[in-house]
Amino acid sequence: NAGVMQNPRHLVRRRGQEARLRCSPMKGHSHVYWYRQLPEEGLKFMVYLQKENIIDESGMPKERFSAEFPKEGPSILRIQQVVRGDSAAYFCASSPYGQGQETQYFGPGTRLLVL
Amino acid sequence: RKEVEQDPGPFNVPEGATVAFNCTYSNSASQSFFWYRQDCRKEPKLLMSVYSSGNEDGRFTAQLNRASQYISLLIRDSKLSDSATYLCVVKTPSNTGKLIFGQGTTLQVKP
């Protein structure tokens, strides 16, 4: 049973380019969370999605950032016109139901470096 | 004030030592509490959940004091392999299940 998968593991972009980060949840999980970890900081919640729905995007910057979780395929976190401050590790987590006590399982993360 | 606060350390201890980490949280309505472990900025992995009655898993003991909004983790007989960053995590009282992470406490166990 494969765990949460994220790709790419490392992504280098120049300022102004777009970054697309992908997350495939564990089999049977229909809830996805995205977190960002800036250098020397803890993880910060960005967005929570169910299939085809954004449930909570309270942690996501209002501009340049968007997320989706289509009916088929992985969840995508998209950052337009990247800036140096977007350099961070982006972790995706999945859970079966999204509420209650169940554990969130984390993927290996995507390290984004903006030059 | 941060929602979850931890002493970042680092804690440098010899093998076999007992070490304790503390954490405070600001939202008194928080319902679920966890300790995660993160190695070299890899993905966080759940170490243990924390219950009001306290709970133990081998060399690890977690305690929760709701009145003081305080969580602790005790590691006995430290091993070299315990070297990592320990993240105090609180699940928000909303029904979305999002996790609030402390910045982590770094532990370095030396031979």
Side-chain angles (χ1 to χ4, degrees):
Chain A
N1 185 16
V4 178
M5 294 193 292
Q6 290 186 248
N7 68 81
R9 296 289 299 275
H10 299 273
L11 183 61
V12 179
R13 285 287 178 266
R14 297 192 180 280
R15 280 179 296 170
Q17 291 184 320
E18 179 179 286
R20 279 184 179 241
L21 288 61
R22 295 174 189 77
C23 169
S24 296
M26 286 180 72
K27 188 175 180 181
H29 288 192
S30 58
H31 297 255
V32 166
Y33 301 79
W34 285 92
Y35 296 85
R36 177 167 68 173
Q37 187 171 32
L38 294 169
E40 308 305 322
E41 292 191 17
L43 279 78
K44 297 258 191 299
F45 167 80
M46 297 183 75
V47 61
Y48 162 46
L49 308 103
Q50 296 177 25
K51 285 281 186 181
E52 300 184 277
N53 286 303
I54 296 175
I55 307 302
D56 181 352
E57 56 182 347
S58 59
M60 199 149 70
K62 296 285 186 286
E63 296 179 356
R64 303 188 297 108
F65 285 73
S66 62
E68 62 176 11
F69 189 15
K71 188 176 180 181
E72 302 291 337
S75 176
I76 307 280
L77 179 68
R78 183 180 175 210
I79 312 173
Q80 295 178 291
Q81 299 176 314
V82 295
V83 301
R84 288 218 174 103
D86 296 333
S87 296
Y90 292 82
F91 291 99
C92 159
S94 74
S95 69
Y97 306 114
Q99 298 178 29
Q101 303 295 311
E102 75 283 350
T103 300
Q104 291 180 23
Y105 296 87
F106 282 81
T110 294
R111 272 96 182 137
L112 172 65
L113 175 62
V114 180
L115 301 177
Chain B
R1 183 184 173 189
K2 291 181 180 177
E3 291 184 82
V4 179
E5 291 207 63
Q6 295 180 249
D7 179 351
F11 285 60
N12 295 301
V13 303
E15 266 186 294
T18 296
V19 61
F21 304 138
N22 304 318
C23 166
T24 57
Y25 59 96
S26 61
N27 191 335
S28 59
S30 299
Q31 295 294 322
S32 305
F33 310 89
F34 311 91
W35 284 100
Y36 275 73
R37 171 187 170 137
Q38 187 176 30
D39 291 84
C40 297
R41 300 189 64 88
K42 294 183 179 178
E43 73 271 28
K45 292 186 177 173
L46 179 66
L47 182 65
M48 58 198 304
S49 301
V50 188
Y51 304 112
S52 296
S53 54
N55 47 302
E56 187 174 309
D57 183 1
R59 298 180 294 109
F60 299 83
T61 301
Q63 297 276 355
L64 167 65
N65 184 322
R66 285 188 183 272
S68 303
Q69 295 177 209
Y70 172 94
I71 307 162
S72 66
L73 176 68
L74 184 77
I75 306 176
R76 290 181 299 277
D77 189 22
S78 300
K79 311 289 185 196
L80 295 175
S81 57
D82 293 335
S83 297
T85 297
Y86 290 83
L87 307 171
C88 177
V89 183
V90 173
K91 186 174 282 188
T92 61
S94 71
N95 63 356
T96 63
K98 68 184 183 187
L99 301 177
I100 308 296
F101 285 78
Q103 70 177 99
T105 299
T106 300
L107 172 66
Q108 185 68 45
V109 181
K110 299 191 181 297

